[in-house]
Amino acid sequence: MTGGTPSVVIVDDHAIFRAGVRAELGDMVEVLGEADNVDDAVRAIAELEPDVVLLDVHMPGGGGVEVLEQVAKLRPQQRFLALSVSDDAADVIAVVRAGARGYVTKTITGPDLADAVTRVRDGDAVFSPRLAGFVLDAFAGEIPAEEIDPELDQLTPREKEVLRYIARGYLYKEIALRLTISAKTVEAHVSSVLRKLQLSNRHELSRWAVNRRLVD
Amino acid sequence: MVRVGAVVLAIGTSGVAALAYLLAWGFLPASGAEGTQARGPRRSRRRGSWRIAGGVALLALSVLLAFREAGIWWSDALVWPLTLASFGVALLWGLSRPGVSSETVDLAPRERADSGRAVPAAIEPDPGEAARRFSRAGFGIALVLGAALLFLWANGVLDAAGDTALAALVVAVALALISAPFWWGLVRRLTVERSARIRSQERAEVAAHLHDSVLQTLALVQRRSDDPGEVAKLARRQERELRSWLAGDEQPRPSERLADALRGAATEVEETHGAIVEAVVVGDAALDRRYDALVQAAREALTNGAKFAADGGPIRLYAEIDEAGARVWVDDRGPGFDPASVPADRRGVRESIIGRMQRHGGTAELRGGPEGGTEVELSMGSNGR
């Protein structure tokens, strides 16, 4: 799986946006196909088997979360990177909890997007500064000691530190430099945070996931 | 119920017409004030019609008792039927009065403050209200009919006509059962119509908003297409505006909340200097004098980043606020500078960032970023510390 040009399927109901992403990615990423609705997306992903699915959060017919859930049954190893114009905490948390390994906003530049795709393909998590802020916010605050699952409901001080740097716009290698740890260790911390984000029952996370507002 | 019980007790002891009359009088001022009340909140008006009917019934009761005391009397069997009937009739009359039947008229057109456009709200009766009126009418009719039956029964007339009355009752119940689905359907249809109306109203509002904001900006963008800086600025401002509108957030209160004040400072610097500023704020606290100083220092740091480092990518503000205090980082990816040899033109920075923070009991640190750029770390304990 590692190395070479990663392949993607673009799922978005806006044709202009799909064309834009294609143009931005150029030959850094191989675009296998596109889909503009949930059913076509599930079919295309199962057929084309891309390394990564670039998934719009808001789509008619259930949105990105629906695609994530349906594909999980057919192709559980499929990796997703969520793309959205929204950075509403509820959207972000919902799509990550449904299984996306990263979340970037649509204003991201072509090279940064290609880099994010490669990292998701290689099994890393991609956190935007804003997502890091949400996670710190969601895991902040005390919860009753008897309700804490220390494995899932709390971030380690090191994880918090790493997230703080991501929120400040640092790249992984810059964080590694700052904390004098290896870039691989930084990635391990972020993946661990992603796991907690997906599995924790923390009240804030559930609330955001439940109150998800769809804009379309 | 308590009052009714009191009246029942009082009747047994006689000489209580006065009491019933007083109660009726207590209820009835609402009827005198009906004209002005029609403009008040709907709920109180609805209760009002029940109260008026109750008042009328009590008034009738008191008049009857007064007659009885005075000896102008023919049968005790009249008291309850007449009281009940007057209650029912008052309810029915209340429904047909113009002041009450036009209860929903004060749904005045809502003025859209941001655009100056008026989106007229449909002036139609609210079906929920219609259903309530309906039940009130049914209750009134049942009361009057019940009173009539009670009167007939008490006078022994019903015995003779017993079979007929039973037949009539059965027919009435059967009719009610038969027409029930129709009434139910009517209420349901009214509800559906109402939600459809609300939806179309909302659509009109969204269309108006998009017209006033997004379309206007797009027109501007087309006219300024030769000035990329201006176009980017316009797009960014529109994005921010639309985003906050979509999120439906409560209005930011930059003069009261620290988080809003920091975000406001980021927006302000972005608009003044045309640089892109990304702000991520975690937590919040009430704004006090010291946090205000923190916001000023952060604004100064952002301004410097925007002036000297806007080409290196976005200026980033990250703030963490909790009970213990607030920490703010401002990072840029500009050329950076060596804090030990602060050039003359940066003396202002020294004063307005470091000096200001220290005067208010906080700290400020300026250092070079990991790969060029500058980072400013501001820290201020909360007032409790």
Coordinates of all heavy atoms in Angstrom, one line a residue, chain A residues 85-88 105 107 129-130 132-134 136-137 140 160 163-171 173-174 177-178 213 215, chain B residues 236 239 243 246-249 278-283 316-318 320 327 329-331 333 367-371 375-377:
Chain A
V85 N -16.8 22.3 3.6 CA -16.7 23.7 3.7 C -17.0 24.2 5.1 O -16.8 25.3 5.5 CB -17.7 24.5 2.7 CG1 -17.2 24.4 1.3 CG2 -19.1 24.0 2.9
S86 N -17.6 23.2 5.8 CA -18.1 23.6 7.1 C -17.0 23.3 8.2 O -16.3 22.3 8.0 CB -19.3 22.8 7.5 OG -19.5 22.6 8.9
D87 N -16.9 24.1 9.2 CA -16.1 23.6 10.3 C -16.9 23.6 11.6 O -16.4 24.0 12.6 CB -14.7 24.2 10.4 CG -14.8 25.7 10.1 OD1 -15.8 26.3 10.5 OD2 -13.9 26.3 9.6
D88 N -18.1 23.2 11.4 CA -18.9 23.1 12.6 C -18.5 21.9 13.4 O -18.3 20.8 12.8 CB -20.4 22.9 12.1 CG -21.4 22.9 13.2 OD1 -21.3 23.9 14.0 OD2 -22.2 22.0 13.3
T105 N -10.6 21.2 5.6 CA -11.6 22.1 5.0 C -11.3 22.3 3.5 O -10.2 22.1 3.0 CB -11.7 23.4 5.7 OG1 -10.4 23.9 5.9 CG2 -12.4 23.3 7.0
T107 N -10.8 24.8 1.7 CA -9.9 25.8 1.3 C -8.4 25.3 1.3 O -7.6 26.1 0.9 CB -10.0 27.0 2.3 OG1 -9.9 26.5 3.6 CG2 -11.3 27.8 2.1
P129 N -5.9 22.3 12.1 CA -5.8 23.0 13.4 C -7.1 23.1 14.1 O -7.2 23.0 15.3 CB -5.3 24.4 12.9 CG -4.5 24.1 11.7 CD -5.2 23.0 11.0
R130 N -8.2 23.3 13.3 CA -9.5 23.5 13.9 C -10.0 22.2 14.6 O -10.6 22.2 15.7 CB -10.5 24.0 12.9 CG -11.6 24.8 13.4 CD -12.4 25.5 12.3 NE -11.7 26.6 11.9 CZ -11.8 27.8 12.4 NH1 -12.7 28.0 13.4 NH2 -11.2 28.9 12.0
A132 N -8.1 19.9 15.8 CA -7.3 19.8 17.0 C -7.9 20.6 18.1 O -8.1 20.2 19.3 CB -5.9 20.2 16.8
G133 N -8.4 21.8 17.8 CA -9.0 22.7 18.8 C -10.3 22.1 19.3 O -10.5 22.0 20.5
F134 N -11.1 21.5 18.4 CA -12.3 20.8 18.9 C -12.0 19.7 19.8 O -12.7 19.5 20.8 CB -13.1 20.2 17.7 CG -13.8 21.3 16.8 CD1 -14.0 21.0 15.5 CD2 -14.2 22.5 17.4 CE1 -14.6 22.0 14.7 CE2 -14.8 23.4 16.6 CZ -15.0 23.2 15.3
L136 N -9.4 19.2 21.7 CA -9.0 19.7 23.0 C -10.2 20.2 23.8 O -10.2 20.0 25.0 CB -7.9 20.8 22.8 CG -6.5 20.4 22.4 CD1 -5.7 21.6 21.9 CD2 -5.9 19.7 23.6
D137 N -11.1 20.9 23.1 CA -12.3 21.4 23.8 C -13.1 20.2 24.3 O -13.6 20.3 25.5 CB -13.1 22.2 22.7 CG -13.8 23.3 23.4 OD1 -13.6 23.5 24.6 OD2 -14.5 24.0 22.6
A140 N -11.5 18.6 27.3 CA -11.3 19.4 28.4 C -12.4 19.3 29.4 O -13.4 18.6 29.1 CB -11.2 20.9 28.0
K160 N -2.0 15.9 24.5 CA -2.5 17.3 24.5 C -1.5 18.3 23.9 O -1.9 19.2 23.2 CB -2.8 17.7 26.0 CG -4.2 17.4 26.4 CD -4.5 18.0 27.8 CE -5.7 17.4 28.4 NZ -5.8 17.5 29.8
L163 N -1.5 18.0 20.2 CA -2.7 18.6 19.6 C -2.6 20.1 19.6 O -3.0 20.8 18.7 CB -3.9 18.2 20.4 CG -4.5 16.8 20.1 CD1 -5.7 16.6 20.9 CD2 -4.9 16.7 18.6
R164 N -2.0 20.6 20.7 CA -1.8 22.1 20.9 C -1.0 22.6 19.7 O -1.3 23.7 19.1 CB -1.2 22.4 22.2 CG -1.4 23.8 22.7 CD -0.9 23.9 24.1 NE -1.8 23.4 25.1 CZ -1.4 22.8 26.2 NH1 -0.1 22.6 26.5 NH2 -2.3 22.3 27.0
Y165 N 0.1 21.9 19.4 CA 0.9 22.4 18.3 C 0.2 22.3 17.0 O 0.4 23.1 16.1 CB 2.2 21.5 18.3 CG 3.3 22.0 19.2 CD1 3.7 21.3 20.3 CD2 3.9 23.3 19.1 CE1 4.6 21.7 21.2 CE2 4.8 23.8 20.0 CZ 5.2 23.0 21.0 OH 6.1 23.5 21.9
I166 N -0.6 21.2 16.8 CA -1.4 21.1 15.5 C -2.3 22.3 15.4 O -2.5 22.9 14.4 CB -2.1 19.8 15.5 CG1 -1.2 18.6 15.4 CG2 -3.1 19.8 14.3 CD1 -1.8 17.3 15.4
A167 N -3.0 22.6 16.6 CA -3.9 23.8 16.6 C -3.2 25.1 16.2 O -3.8 26.0 15.7 CB -4.6 23.9 17.9
R168 N -1.9 25.1 16.5 CA -1.1 26.3 16.2 C -0.5 26.3 14.8 O 0.2 27.1 14.4 CB 0.0 26.5 17.2 CG -0.4 26.8 18.6 CD 0.7 26.8 19.6 NE 1.8 27.7 19.3 CZ 2.9 27.7 19.9 NH1 3.1 26.8 20.9 NH2 3.9 28.5 19.6
G169 N -0.9 25.2 14.0 CA -0.5 25.2 12.6 C 0.8 24.5 12.4 O 1.4 24.6 11.3
Y170 N 1.4 23.8 13.4 CA 2.7 23.2 13.1 C 2.5 21.9 12.3 O 1.5 21.2 12.5 CB 3.3 22.8 14.5 CG 4.0 23.9 15.2 CD1 3.4 25.0 15.6 CD2 5.4 23.7 15.6 CE1 4.0 26.0 16.3 CE2 6.0 24.7 16.2 CZ 5.4 25.9 16.6 OH 6.0 26.9 17.2
L171 N 3.5 21.6 11.5 CA 3.5 20.3 10.8 C 4.1 19.3 11.7 O 4.8 19.6 12.6 CB 4.4 20.4 9.5 CG 3.9 21.6 8.5 CD1 4.9 21.7 7.4 CD2 2.5 21.3 8.0
K173 N 6.5 17.3 11.4 CA 8.0 17.2 11.6 C 8.4 18.4 12.4 O 9.4 18.3 13.1 CB 8.7 17.2 10.2 CG 8.4 18.4 9.2 CD 9.3 18.2 8.0 CE 9.3 19.5 7.1 NZ 8.2 19.6 6.2
E174 N 7.7 19.5 12.4 CA 8.0 20.7 13.2 C 7.7 20.3 14.7 O 8.5 20.7 15.6 CB 7.2 21.9 12.8 CG 7.6 22.4 11.4 CD 6.7 23.5 10.9 OE1 5.5 23.6 11.4 OE2 7.1 24.2 9.9
L177 N 10.4 18.2 16.0 CA 11.6 19.0 16.3 C 11.5 19.7 17.7 O 12.4 19.7 18.5 CB 11.7 20.0 15.2 CG 13.1 20.5 14.8 CD1 13.9 19.3 14.2 CD2 13.0 21.6 13.7
R178 N 10.3 20.2 17.9 CA 10.0 21.0 19.1 C 10.1 20.1 20.3 O 10.6 20.4 21.4 CB 8.6 21.6 19.0 CG 8.7 23.1 18.8 CD 9.3 23.8 19.9 NE 10.0 25.0 19.5 CZ 9.5 26.2 19.4 NH1 8.2 26.3 19.5 NH2 10.2 27.2 19.0
R213 N -26.1 19.1 12.8 CA -27.0 19.8 11.9 C -26.6 19.7 10.5 O -25.4 19.9 10.2 CB -27.0 21.3 12.2 CG -28.0 21.8 13.2 CD -28.1 23.3 13.2 NE -26.7 23.9 13.2 CZ -26.1 24.3 14.3 NH1 -26.7 24.1 15.5 NH2 -24.9 24.8 14.3
V215 N -26.5 21.1 6.7 CA -26.8 22.4 6.1 C -27.6 22.3 4.9 O -28.4 23.1 4.5 CB -25.5 23.2 5.9 CG1 -25.7 24.5 5.2 CG2 -24.7 23.4 7.2
Chain B
R236 N -13.5 36.1 1.6 CA -13.2 35.8 3.0 C -14.3 36.4 3.9 O -14.8 35.7 4.8 CB -11.9 36.3 3.3 CG -11.2 35.8 4.5 CD -10.2 34.8 4.3 NE -9.7 34.5 5.7 CZ -9.8 33.4 6.3 NH1 -10.2 32.3 5.6 NH2 -9.4 33.3 7.5
E239 N -17.5 34.7 3.3 CA -17.5 33.3 3.9 C -17.8 33.4 5.4 O -18.6 32.7 6.0 CB -16.1 32.7 3.7 CG -16.0 31.3 4.3 CD -14.6 30.8 4.4 OE1 -13.7 31.4 3.6 OE2 -14.3 29.9 5.1
R243 N -21.1 31.8 7.1 CA -20.8 30.7 8.1 C -21.5 31.0 9.4 O -22.2 30.1 9.9 CB -19.3 30.7 8.3 CG -18.7 29.3 8.4 CD -17.3 29.4 8.7 NE -16.5 29.1 7.5 CZ -16.5 27.9 6.9 NH1 -17.2 26.9 7.4 NH2 -15.8 27.7 5.8
L246 N -25.2 30.5 8.9 CA -25.6 29.1 8.8 C -25.6 28.4 10.1 O -26.4 27.6 10.5 CB -24.7 28.4 7.8 CG -24.9 28.6 6.3 CD1 -23.9 27.9 5.5 CD2 -26.3 28.2 5.9
A247 N -24.5 28.7 10.9 CA -24.4 28.1 12.2 C -25.5 28.6 13.1 O -25.8 27.9 14.1 CB -23.0 28.4 12.8
G248 N -26.1 29.7 12.8 CA -27.1 30.2 13.7 C -26.7 30.5 15.1 O -27.4 30.5 16.0
D249 N -25.4 30.8 15.2 CA -24.8 31.1 16.5 C -25.5 32.3 17.1 O -26.0 33.1 16.5 CB -23.3 31.3 16.5 CG -22.5 30.1 16.1 OD1 -23.1 29.0 16.3 OD2 -21.4 30.2 15.7
E278 N -6.0 32.8 11.0 CA -6.8 31.6 11.5 C -6.8 31.6 13.0 O -5.8 31.6 13.6 CB -6.2 30.3 11.0 CG -6.1 30.2 9.5 CD -7.3 29.7 8.8 OE1 -8.3 29.6 9.5 OE2 -7.3 29.5 7.6
A279 N -8.0 31.7 13.6 CA -8.1 31.7 15.0 C -8.8 30.4 15.5 O -9.8 30.0 15.0 CB -8.9 32.9 15.5
V280 N -8.2 29.7 16.5 CA -8.8 28.6 17.1 C -8.8 28.9 18.6 O -7.7 29.1 19.2 CB -8.0 27.3 16.9 CG1 -8.5 26.1 17.7 CG2 -8.0 27.0 15.4
V281 N -10.0 28.9 19.2 CA -10.1 29.3 20.6 C -10.7 28.1 21.4 O -11.8 27.6 21.0 CB -10.9 30.6 20.9 CG1 -10.9 30.9 22.3 CG2 -10.3 31.7 20.1
V282 N -10.1 27.7 22.4 CA -10.6 26.6 23.2 C -11.0 27.1 24.6 O -10.2 27.8 25.3 CB -9.6 25.4 23.4 CG1 -10.1 24.4 24.4 CG2 -9.3 24.8 22.1
G283 N -12.2 26.9 25.0 CA -12.7 27.5 26.3 C -13.1 28.9 26.2 O -13.1 29.5 25.2
R316 N -1.5 32.5 12.7 CA -2.4 31.7 13.5 C -2.5 32.2 14.9 O -1.5 32.5 15.5 CB -1.9 30.2 13.5 CG -2.1 29.6 12.1 CD -1.7 28.2 12.1 NE -1.8 27.6 10.8 CZ -2.9 27.2 10.2 NH1 -4.0 27.2 10.8 NH2 -2.8 26.8 8.9
L317 N -3.7 32.2 15.4 CA -3.9 32.5 16.8 C -4.5 31.2 17.5 O -5.5 30.7 17.0 CB -4.8 33.7 17.0 CG -5.2 34.1 18.4 CD1 -5.3 35.6 18.5 CD2 -6.5 33.4 18.9
Y318 N -3.9 30.8 18.5 CA -4.5 29.7 19.3 C -4.6 30.1 20.7 O -3.6 30.5 21.3 CB -3.6 28.4 19.1 CG -4.1 27.3 20.0 CD1 -5.4 26.7 19.8 CD2 -3.3 26.9 21.1 CE1 -5.8 25.7 20.7 CE2 -3.8 25.9 21.9 CZ -5.0 25.3 21.7 OH -5.5 24.3 22.6
E320 N -6.1 29.0 24.7 CA -6.6 28.0 25.6 C -7.0 28.7 26.9 O -6.2 29.4 27.6 CB -5.5 27.0 26.0 CG -5.9 25.6 25.7 CD -4.7 24.7 25.9 OE1 -4.3 24.5 27.1 OE2 -4.2 24.1 24.9
R327 N -4.0 31.3 28.0 CA -2.8 31.3 27.2 C -3.1 31.5 25.7 O -4.0 30.9 25.2 CB -2.0 30.0 27.4 CG -1.3 30.0 28.8 CD -0.1 29.0 28.8 NE -0.6 27.7 28.8 CZ 0.2 26.6 28.7 NH1 1.5 26.8 28.5 NH2 -0.3 25.4 28.7
W329 N -1.3 31.9 21.9 CA -0.1 31.8 21.0 C -0.4 32.5 19.7 O -1.5 32.2 19.1 CB 0.3 30.4 20.7 CG 0.9 29.6 21.9 CD1 2.3 29.6 22.2 CD2 0.2 28.9 22.9 NE1 2.4 28.8 23.3 CE2 1.2 28.4 23.8 CE3 -1.1 28.6 23.1 CZ2 0.9 27.5 24.8 CZ3 -1.4 27.7 24.2 CH2 -0.5 27.3 25.0
V330 N 0.5 33.3 19.2 CA 0.3 33.9 17.9 C 1.6 33.4 17.1 O 2.7 33.7 17.5 CB 0.2 35.4 17.9 CG1 0.2 36.0 16.5 CG2 -1.0 35.8 18.7
D331 N 1.4 32.7 16.0 CA 2.5 32.2 15.2 C 2.4 32.7 13.8 O 1.3 32.8 13.2 CB 2.4 30.6 15.1 CG 2.5 30.0 16.5 OD1 1.5 29.9 17.2 OD2 3.6 29.5 16.8
R333 N 4.7 32.6 9.9 CA 5.8 31.9 9.2 C 6.6 32.9 8.3 O 6.9 32.7 7.2 CB 5.2 30.8 8.3 CG 4.6 29.7 9.1 CD 5.6 29.1 10.1 NE 4.9 28.3 11.0 CZ 4.8 27.0 10.9 NH1 5.2 26.4 9.8 NH2 4.2 26.3 11.8
R367 N 9.7 34.4 20.5 CA 10.9 33.6 20.1 C 10.7 33.2 18.6 O 9.6 33.4 18.1 CB 11.1 32.4 21.0 CG 9.9 31.5 21.2 CD 10.2 30.3 22.0 NE 9.5 30.3 23.3 CZ 8.2 29.9 23.5 NH1 7.5 29.6 22.4 NH2 7.7 29.9 24.7
G368 N 11.8 32.7 18.1 CA 11.7 32.3 16.7 C 11.0 30.9 16.6 O 11.1 30.1 17.5
G369 N 10.3 30.7 15.5 CA 9.6 29.4 15.3 C 10.6 28.4 14.9 O 11.8 28.6 14.8
P370 N 10.2 27.1 14.8 CA 11.1 26.0 14.5 C 11.8 26.1 13.1 O 12.9 25.8 13.0 CB 10.1 24.8 14.5 CG 8.8 25.3 14.3 CD 8.8 26.7 14.8
E371 N 11.1 26.6 12.2 CA 11.7 26.8 10.8 C 11.4 28.2 10.4 O 10.6 28.4 9.5 CB 11.1 25.7 9.9 CG 11.6 24.3 10.2 CD 11.1 23.3 9.3 OE1 10.4 23.6 8.3 OE2 11.5 22.1 9.4
E375 N 7.1 33.3 17.1 CA 5.9 32.9 17.9 C 5.9 33.8 19.1 O 6.9 34.1 19.7 CB 5.9 31.4 18.2 CG 7.2 30.8 18.5 CD 7.0 29.3 18.9 OE1 6.7 29.1 20.1 OE2 7.1 28.5 18.1
V376 N 4.7 34.2 19.5 CA 4.5 35.0 20.6 C 3.6 34.2 21.6 O 2.6 33.7 21.2 CB 3.7 36.3 20.3 CG1 3.5 37.2 21.5 CG2 4.5 37.1 19.2
E377 N 4.1 34.0 22.8 CA 3.3 33.3 23.8 C 2.8 34.3 24.9 O 3.7 34.9 25.5 CB 4.0 32.1 24.4 CG 3.2 31.3 25.4 CD 4.0 30.1 25.9 OE1 4.9 29.7 25.3 OE2 3.5 29.6 26.9

